[in-house]
Amino acid sequence: MTKFADIKGFVFDLDGVITDTSILHGNAWHQLADSLDITWSTKLGNALKGISRMDSLEMILKAGGKANDFSDAEKEKLATQKNTNYIAEVNKMTPANILPGMKDFLDGLRANGYQLSLASASKNAPRVLDKLELADYFPKVVDPASLTHGKPDPEIYTKGAALLNLKPEQCIGVEDAAAGVAAINAAGETSVGIGDATELAAADMVFSNTAAVTLANIKAKLDN
Ligand code: BG6
Ligand code: MG
């Protein structure tokens, strides 16, 4: 396994890692599912974490047995409707919405000379970073519009390392979603999962919450 001393950069997911927008995404999709008479479940909400906007819509329609009920134009309209609701919630965000310990973790990474990039599937990521006043921490953001494949494909994490001019083995990826952990692993980076240990069993290490994600804890797991 990679040694802590080899690590030079961190590639971050945003939603559910730096802030709890995963709840806002879930609420906005739930609202849309209700309007389409599709039964919502926590399981469906969890499966959507890390999944792109249009892929999420497809998964919801499929879950409701309506995969073939809408034209592409209608699907675009539905996705836009969800995004409008989501943005209204994002616009209310402030730095108080940064998840516990994450600001200290980011400050510690910067102070120790690590490079940072963002590998979020969200086209709203720059807006969210702005609201959290964290845009300065992430001058390198992978543009999700440039991707051929979404998570769990490694592309976004491969690009996240390339933006830093680092090899994948020199990077740690940080994720809250199973699809994201799979993407990090397939990119050849070290994966840090935040959340349920069973759900994120594929990760190189799992922390149950963001407050536990510290450089010291990561070092201890890598070098033990
Ligand atoms: C991911 C979220 O970060 O971004 C998903 O985990 C979301 O829930 C995806 O669907 C795309 O986000 P957006 O903001 O482009 O619709
Ligand atoms: Mg996430």
Side-chain angles (χ1 to χ4, degrees):
M1 193 146 120
T2 306
K3 287 266 161 233
F4 184 71
D6 300 332
I7 300 299
K8 305 286 177 228
F10 282 73
V11 186
F12 276 85
D13 176 42
L14 174 69
D15 294 320
V17 167
I18 294 174
T19 182
D20 56 6
T21 35
S22 51
I23 296 171
L24 306 183
H25 276 295
N27 289 346
W29 283 126
H30 189 166
Q31 209 175 321
L32 187 83
D34 285 350
S35 75
L36 299 173
D37 268 334
I38 292 173
T39 309
W40 184 256
S41 68
T42 309
K43 195 170 166 224
L44 178 57
N46 280 337
L48 299 178
K49 284 184 190 170
I51 306 298
S52 75
R53 194 180 307 167
M54 290 315 286
D55 287 350
S56 296
L57 177 63
E58 296 290 355
M59 280 170 70
I60 292 166
L61 295 178
K62 199 168 163 211
K66 297 184 190 251
N68 301 314
D69 290 12
F70 300 95
S71 67
D72 285 351
E74 285 168 333
K75 286 181 194 168
E76 283 294 338
K77 235 173 149 180
L78 293 173
T80 302
Q81 201 177 313
K82 179 266 172 179
N83 196 47
T84 304
N85 292 338
Y86 176 65
I87 287 177
E89 293 307 309
V90 167
N91 284 342
K92 296 178 198 160
M93 292 176 81
T94 72
N97 292 104
I98 298 172
L99 280 165
M102 269 294 142
K103 182 73 173 17
D104 285 346
F105 182 51
L106 292 171
D107 282 332
L109 293 179
R110 282 222 295 204
N112 284 281
Y114 291 99
Q115 296 196 68
L116 309 182
S117 66
L118 197 79
S120 169
S122 174
K123 293 179 175 156
N124 292 300
R127 181 193 294 263
V128 173
L129 285 178
D130 223 44
K131 288 284 167 192
L132 299 175
E133 297 177 13
L134 289 178
D136 285 358
Y137 288 73
F138 293 100
K140 312 267 165 112
V141 176
V142 179
D143 177 5
S146 73
L147 301 173
T148 315
H149 303 290
K151 300 170 186 179
D153 188 279
E155 188 179 9
I156 193 166
Y157 276 95
T158 303
K159 286 192 169 171
L163 280 179
L164 303 177
N165 289 318
L166 293 176
K167 295 186 194 135
E169 313 87 79
Q170 296 176 300
C171 293
I172 284 181
V174 191
E175 266 287 347
D176 68 314
V181 166
I184 296 170
N185 291 347
E189 297 165 16
T190 297
S191 50
V192 168
I194 305 172
D196 182 76
T198 313
E199 209 177 296
L200 304 176
D204 293 310
M205 64 189 85
V206 180
F207 298 101
S208 58
N209 57 71
T210 53
V213 184
T214 64
L215 261 182
N217 285 347
I218 291 172
K219 183 175 190 306
K221 299 247 188 196
L222 276 184
D223 288 347
N224 71 6

